[in-house]
Amino acid sequence: MDKEAFASVVLSSTDSLYRISKSILKYDADCEDAVQEAIATGFGKLYTLKQEAYAKTWLTRILIHECYSLLKKREKSTAILTEPQEECAGPDYSDLYEALSALKKEYRLTIVLYYLEGYSIEEIARIMHVPAGTVKSRLSRGRRDLRSIMGRAQCEKEEDYEKEL
Amino acid sequence: MRKSYEDFADELSRSFPQTPERFRQVVSREVRTHMKPVRHTVRRKRRALLPLAACLILAGGTVTAARLPVFQDWLNGLGINARQAEQSIVHSDGTEGAIIMETAAGPEAETADSSVQEEALFQVTDAYYDGATLMFWAKPQNEYFELADHVYINDIDSRLEYVAETEEGSGIYECKVTVVDPTLQKTDTDVINVKVQVYTSPDSRSDFAFTVRSDKFGTAAQGSGNVTGLDFGQILAY
């Protein structure tokens, strides 16, 4: 695949790259760092991409790897943050997104890849290097946990409303 | 009430934050940086050629040596025979116990004996069902394999989304079906009977059915096989 074609894939996948990185990292600044590294790695290792049809999937896998690397660095880091970090789920976010943010990152990423990005179970298994059965159970448990979180949130809202009355 | 795949996907898409402008700028800037022409490409190409030449010489030498009769006799003496090794590989179907194949003619194949499987248009090697989506993986007998758009789950019409070979040449096809009927989405069931119309050639079509049974977790845990946790229930894999 030549650089021009890959550049076209990257630019057309911008929204997808944001959603995937956001489902792992939560903070926009970290998403920018991860996607920068992923694009650089993609261009640097373009010669290893055997089938052009899988360019987007390949880039997705690189991005996920970069996101997890960055997450590990952040967890180990003891530096004091000098910039204020935005909340991962603020008042502007919907209930569903807040519930999604509360899931384990493996469930969250699987749900985003399946429902938002439209990947099949087999493709997700290849992207995440896990068996298809694991993908299925993560989807199932992720949906179950989402229902549970949203059910609790709904109850809390109703209780708050009754108190106001 | 369970939501359909599209409804949930739409709701999630609306709920997810939009891509910030700053992120878009980072992406386009990074792409522009890597699109700039690189200097000294001729020198780099020459350097890349040297290890490639070394590999070719090594590979050529290895192939030549392997073809020598003396070398082959030595390998056979060690008991290594590639053809025999290939024939001894056993492929096991992990879901044989839970997926029952039967032709549209009747349920006499309920126990899935080998004579029925020999006539089966395809084997279902795996299945997943969560009330909103049915996915199954099919290994057809013929090279030509297509399914009609309507798939019946417990006699209720559902929509086939796609049939796609998992990897080119694998012979295994991933099939995705979306449940559109709200009655079926709400129904709690331990058994799903799936009926499809299979095209064995562009103008030849046959009806085909298979059943997927799930067991409750307590029963599954007593079994000796692997248990896959699903929203629908448990499919016991042996």
Side-chain angles (χ1 to χ4, degrees):
Chain A
M1 189 179 211
D2 61 25
K3 279 177 154 185
E4 284 79 15
F6 185 65
S8 175
V9 168
V10 174
L11 292 171
S12 64
S13 306
T14 303
D15 289 333
S16 178
L17 296 175
Y18 178 70
R19 285 191 292 260
I20 291 166
S21 56
K22 186 78 172 169
S23 69
I24 301 171
L25 295 170
K26 299 187 182 178
Y27 299 121
D28 285 353
D30 287 345
C31 295
E32 289 160 19
D33 289 344
V35 81
Q36 244 180 322
E37 288 296 325
I39 293 171
T41 304
F43 275 102
K45 297 207 171 161
L46 198 53
Y47 62 92
T48 64
L49 176 60
K50 302 292 179 216
Q51 289 180 282
E52 292 188 18
Y54 294 121
K56 190 182 170 192
T57 308
W58 182 72
L59 179 62
T60 299
R61 198 189 294 173
I62 294 172
L63 176 63
I64 290 171
H65 175 78
E66 293 297 336
C67 289
Y68 279 123
S69 297
L70 194 59
L71 205 58
K72 274 186 193 163
K73 280 185 202 166
R74 293 282 182 263
E75 284 167 0
K76 284 181 182 171
S77 171
T78 55
I80 299 168
L81 296 169
T82 55
E83 301 176 310
Q85 296 285 319
E86 77 270 30
E87 293 293 323
C88 60
D92 294 328
Y93 292 130
S94 68
D95 289 345
L96 179 55
Y97 180 71
E98 289 198 17
L100 188 70
S101 301
L103 293 181
K104 278 188 184 176
K105 61 179 181 297
E106 291 82 13
Y107 296 173
R108 190 165 59 238
L109 178 62
T110 308
I111 283 182
V112 166
L113 288 173
Y114 186 72
Y115 288 104
L116 279 185
E117 303 306 320
Y119 285 110
S120 68
I121 288 177
E122 288 293 335
E123 284 171 327
I124 296 172
R126 276 198 291 271
I127 289 170
M128 297 177 78
H129 295 293
V130 295
T134 303
V135 175
K136 294 173 199 172
S137 64
R138 284 180 183 177
L139 270 178
S140 163
R141 288 169 187 164
R143 281 168 61 106
R144 181 200 60 200
D145 289 354
L146 267 180
R147 276 197 291 273
S148 169
I149 293 168
M150 293 197 68
R152 273 203 310 270
Q154 184 63 26
C155 285
E156 282 168 12
K157 278 189 180 171
E158 284 167 2
E159 282 173 9
D160 290 343
Y161 180 69
E162 280 169 11
K163 282 179 190 167
E164 281 174 20
L165 291 177
Chain B
M1 178 180 148
R2 288 183 200 269
K3 291 184 181 175
S4 71
Y5 173 91
E6 283 89 2
D7 288 345
F8 183 66
D10 283 342
E11 194 179 341
L12 195 56
S13 180
R14 285 195 301 274
S15 304
F16 211 90
Q18 296 297 307
T19 306
E21 188 51 38
R22 187 173 146 150
F23 185 92
R24 290 186 192 282
Q25 286 168 4
V26 164
V27 170
S28 61
R29 191 172 59 235
E30 196 64 25
V31 168
R32 276 200 306 275
T33 302
H34 289 281
M35 289 304 293
K36 286 177 187 168
V38 179
R39 283 182 177 183
H40 308 301
T41 53
V42 174
R43 198 175 294 173
R44 280 187 189 176
K45 278 180 186 171
R46 275 197 202 142
R47 283 183 188 163
L49 281 174
L50 281 173
L52 181 62
C55 286
L56 281 172
I57 291 167
L58 194 63
T62 308
V63 168
T64 306
R67 287 186 178 185
L68 289 173
V70 169
F71 191 71
Q72 285 184 353
D73 288 341
W74 176 65
L75 276 180
N76 287 337
L78 293 176
I80 295 170
N81 184 309
R83 204 166 287 175
Q84 280 179 356
E86 221 172 24
Q87 287 167 356
S88 70
I89 292 170
V90 175
H91 296 277
S92 60
D93 178 4
T95 54
E96 267 173 12
I99 299 176
I100 313 297
M101 309 299 296
E102 59 186 19
T103 63
E108 59 266 17
E110 200 167 15
T111 53
D113 62 5
S114 58
S115 63
V116 174
Q117 286 181 349
E118 280 169 8
E119 296 167 3
L121 293 174
F122 61 85
Q123 298 290 325
V124 178
T125 59
D126 201 358
Y128 165 77
Y129 180 68
D130 65 3
T133 303
L134 165 69
M135 294 198 68
F136 61 93
W137 286 263
K139 189 174 179 183
Q141 300 299 322
N142 299 318
E143 274 192 29
Y144 187 87
F145 181 70
E146 279 291 341
L147 300 179
D149 289 343
H150 294 270
V151 174
Y152 295 87
I153 299 175
N154 292 351
D155 292 324
I156 296 175
D157 193 7
S158 304
R159 185 174 64 234
L160 179 72
E161 297 292 342
Y162 63 76
V163 175
E165 200 172 12
T166 53
E167 276 182 32
E168 200 176 324
S170 66
I172 307 274
Y173 291 81
E174 180 176 287
C175 311
K176 182 174 175 179
V177 180
T178 298
V179 176
V180 295
D181 189 286
T183 312
L184 186 57
Q185 288 174 356
K186 281 192 291 190
T187 303
D188 224 356
T189 179
D190 292 339
V191 178
I192 56 167
N193 180 265
V194 183
K195 287 181 192 164
V196 299
Q197 288 182 320
V198 186
Y199 286 90
T200 51
S201 71
D203 48 16
S204 171
R205 196 170 68 181
S206 298
D207 290 339
F208 195 73
F210 62 92
T211 301
V212 182
R213 292 201 184 108
S214 83
D215 295 306
K216 296 301 177 196
F217 182 74
T219 309
Q222 293 165 16
S224 58
N226 297 318
V227 173
T228 306
L230 297 175
D231 203 14
F232 163 61
Q234 307 285 333
I235 292 184
L236 191 64
Y238 292 93

